[in-house]
Amino acid sequence: MISFAVLLPILMILIALGVNSVKMFIAKAKLSDVSAEVGLIVSAHSSVSDIGQFPPELKSLVTHYVKNFFPEASKTPEVVIDFSQVSTDSTSNAEYMTYHPSIKVELPFPFYHATLSEGAKNFTISATPLTVKKQVSRPVDILFIVDF
């Protein structure tokens, strides 16, 4: 009975550490899905001829979208999207742009204790680097000549 009383705090700490770790892994997996969806939102909203600006209404839309996935976030998510210049692919006769969405979210630990989290009440996760390529074919004129 005494050995169980000695091991109980250690078991409780290990369970809390396990729950905190699982929360971090789940949040990281969810954030990678969200970053892919944000890349598609930005790609659908902008055209290849854009000069690479991030309009305020699009920033607000994307920030609210990320916030809906993480309602427990302690701060507003940081969303940064880098645009590339318009380039031309000579093999496919198309113009393309690339987008690099970067998202950072701060979430609270489910079980907070100074020894479990090194004194921090929140943990920050960021999405892995993602590249979205938007490609638009250039028009080609085709002329048919028929001789009767």
Side-chain angles (χ1 to χ4, degrees):
M1 202 62 164
I2 293 177
S3 63
F4 181 72
V6 171
L7 290 177
L8 186 63
I10 295 171
L11 289 174
M12 295 293 285
I13 288 173
L14 288 176
I15 290 171
L17 185 62
V19 169
N20 284 349
S21 300
V22 167
K23 167 77 174 174
M24 286 189 258
F25 284 121
I26 290 172
K28 182 76 173 177
K30 190 191 281 188
L31 187 63
S32 66
D33 291 341
V34 170
S35 68
E37 293 163 2
V38 163
L40 291 176
I41 290 171
V42 172
S43 178
H45 186 273
S46 61
S47 66
V48 172
S49 61
D50 286 348
I51 50 178
Q53 294 182 4
F54 196 36
E57 65 272 0
L58 180 61
K59 185 173 177 70
S60 173
L61 172 74
V62 169
T63 303
H64 287 309
Y65 185 76
V66 174
K67 201 170 189 175
N68 283 338
F69 272 90
F70 298 100
E72 71 275 10
S74 55
K75 290 184 181 177
T76 302
E78 296 176 27
V79 180
V80 178
I81 298 180
D82 298 325
F83 294 84
S84 72
Q85 297 296 324
V86 177
S87 302
T88 304
D89 187 5
S90 60
T91 59
S92 64
N93 191 28
E95 293 180 334
Y96 68 91
M97 276 182 85
T98 55
Y99 309 99
H100 303 282
S102 171
I103 304 171
K104 233 185 236 188
V105 180
E106 188 171 309
L107 301 170
F109 282 113
F111 293 106
Y112 168 71
H113 193 273
T115 57
L116 290 175
S117 60
E118 298 177 355
K121 292 184 179 180
N122 301 319
F123 64 96
T124 303
I125 56 170
S126 59
T128 55
L130 178 72
T131 302
V132 178
K133 183 177 179 181
K134 182 172 185 170
Q135 187 168 341
V136 176
S137 298
R138 291 188 293 175
V140 176
D141 293 334
I142 299 175
L143 179 65
F144 293 102
I145 300 176
V146 180
D147 187 17
F148 290 104

